[in-house]
């Protein structure tokens, strides 16, 4: 299983890497056509050309995100005791403007533990979860994100809860797959890699992630870190 995963990862890495050059050519030439030769096309031709340009921009985003996703496991892990509070404070400062603009707030429990983990991975995990809580906030309820933690089987469980739009039960597992999205790009922009990144990063730290959620009632992302990886 581990070998199969490794094969798949290096496959997706080289595919996404090698796709970039031809994609750049498609984008570059279609942009030249749509700018310099726009007058030579009729309305229909211009519309098609614009679709090609916007689709190649979208494809570049998808490929770049897929590359970042595959790169996660190509760097060696640097395991250190990391303060969860410090990670959340850093991520909060990245998003502070968005949270305040949405009239929302983020609450942290007093006794968040430290985690024996890789700081970059931990930051990516919480950045994706908090970013999503902001993006998928409820249109009519002020955003509230709560981060809490408790000991569990000699490890710890960390919960990132929001009061946003929620997720229907049939998607609770699928949303952790690469490119799995539940909304149109125009309503909520994104590439569908964020939660796959969270799942992969948590696994690399030997933990697991699940979600509890109901449509319209918010979501709780539950991170379970194993024995000996959490400390007071
Ligand atoms: P993206 O946000 O780019 O679509 P993600 O992998 O981060 O990709 O999330 C996958 C899907 O899961 C999203 O498209 C969204 O439908 C759903 N989702 C993720 N987080 C939340 C959340 N906090 N509340 C509601 N839905 C969410």
């Amino acid at each position: 299983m581990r070998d199969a995963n490794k094969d798949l990862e290096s496959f997706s890495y080289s595919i996404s890497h090698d796709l970039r050059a031809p994609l750049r050519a498609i984008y570059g030439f279609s942009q030249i056509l749509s700018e310099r030769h726009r007058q030579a096309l009729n309305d229909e031709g211009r519309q098609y050309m614009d679709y090609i340009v916007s689709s190649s921009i979208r494809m570049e985003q998808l490929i770049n995100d897929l590359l970042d996703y595959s790169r996660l496991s190509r760097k060696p892990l640097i395991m250190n005791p990391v303060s969860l509070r410090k990670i959340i404070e850093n991520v909060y400062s990245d998003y502070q403007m968005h949270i305040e603009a949405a009239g929302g707030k983020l609450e942290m429990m007093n006794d968040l533990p430290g985690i024996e983990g890789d700081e970059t991975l931990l930051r990516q995990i919480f950045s994706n979860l908090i970013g999503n809580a902001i993006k998928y906030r409820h249109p009519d309820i002020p955003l509230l994100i709560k981060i809490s933690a408790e000991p569990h089987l000699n490890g710890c469980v960390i919960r990132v809860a929001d009061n946003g739009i929620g997720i229907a039960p049939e998607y609770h597992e699928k949303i952790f797959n690469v490119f799995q999205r539940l909304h149109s790009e125009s309503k909520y922009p994104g590439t569908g890699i964020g939660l796959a990144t969270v799942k992969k990063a948590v696994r690399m730290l030997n933990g697991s992630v699940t979600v509890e959620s109901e449509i319209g009632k918010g979501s709780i992302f539950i991170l379970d870190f194993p024995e000996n990886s959490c400390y007071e």
Side-chain angles (χ1 to χ4, degrees):
M1 186 63 187
R2 207 164 262 270
D3 277 356
N5 277 343
K6 269 220 145 60
D7 280 355
L8 198 64
E9 262 168 28
S10 61
F11 178 71
S12 66
Y13 179 80
S14 50
I15 290 269
S16 41
H17 194 263
D18 295 352
L19 279 178
R20 286 205 300 187
L23 179 63
R24 240 174 249 144
I26 297 173
Y27 174 68
F29 287 117
S30 55
Q31 206 179 27
I32 291 172
L33 270 179
S34 86
E35 281 170 10
R36 282 196 217 152
H37 302 275
R38 208 166 176 81
Q39 296 317 320
L41 297 168
N42 63 14
D43 279 352
E44 196 182 25
R46 283 193 277 268
Q47 199 181 24
Y48 290 160
M49 202 46 75
D50 292 342
Y51 284 150
I52 298 176
V53 173
S54 60
S55 301
S56 43
I57 292 173
R58 172 78 179 151
M59 192 159 168
E60 184 168 30
Q61 279 173 347
L62 294 169
I63 288 178
N64 284 342
D65 280 6
L66 192 57
L67 258 180
D68 287 344
Y69 172 80
S70 344
R71 276 195 191 114
L72 268 187
S73 50
R74 295 173 81 88
K75 278 196 228 129
L77 286 182
I78 304 172
M79 301 296 275
N80 275 314
V82 180
S83 149
L84 182 57
R85 173 167 292 273
K86 203 181 106 199
I87 294 275
I88 308 282
E89 280 170 357
N90 279 337
V91 172
Y92 176 76
S93 67
D94 292 343
Y95 286 115
Q96 188 169 4
M97 254 171 45
H98 293 96
I99 296 179
E100 286 174 1
K105 58 181 178 177
L106 182 145
E107 285 178 4
M108 269 190 274
M109 249 182 45
N110 280 336
D111 45 350
L112 292 183
I115 295 181
E116 177 71 21
D118 179 290
E119 191 163 341
T120 310
L121 288 186
L122 286 166
R123 213 185 142 98
Q124 268 168 318
I125 293 168
F126 290 98
S127 179
N128 276 303
L129 293 178
I130 291 171
N132 279 347
I134 301 168
K135 179 159 54 166
Y136 300 106
R137 65 184 177 272
H138 202 289
D140 309 319
I141 305 172
L143 167 68
L144 177 60
I145 307 170
K146 282 188 186 168
I147 318 252
S148 60
E150 63 185 62
H152 174 65
L153 298 175
N154 293 331
C156 61
V157 168
I158 297 167
R159 290 188 169 78
V160 179
D162 66 52
N163 57 350
I165 60 173
I167 304 158
E170 63 270 31
Y171 296 114
H172 286 184
E173 285 185 18
K174 288 188 189 142
I175 50 167
F176 292 99
N177 294 337
V178 167
F179 294 150
Q180 184 71 53
R181 313 203 62 230
L182 310 182
H183 308 278
S184 67
E185 166 71 6
S186 54
K187 190 154 188 213
Y188 293 103
T191 51
I193 298 267
L195 288 180
T197 301
V198 169
K199 182 172 177 180
K200 183 168 170 179
V202 173
R203 276 215 181 140
M204 287 169 68
L205 302 174
N206 299 315
S208 61
V209 55
T210 50
V211 67
E212 283 173 5
S213 181
E214 255 181 82
I215 287 281
K217 300 212 168 140
S219 309
I220 308 175
F221 286 86
I222 303 164
L223 310 172
D224 204 332
F225 286 100
E227 236 174 300
N228 301 327
S229 56
C230 309
Y231 59 92
E232 299 285 302

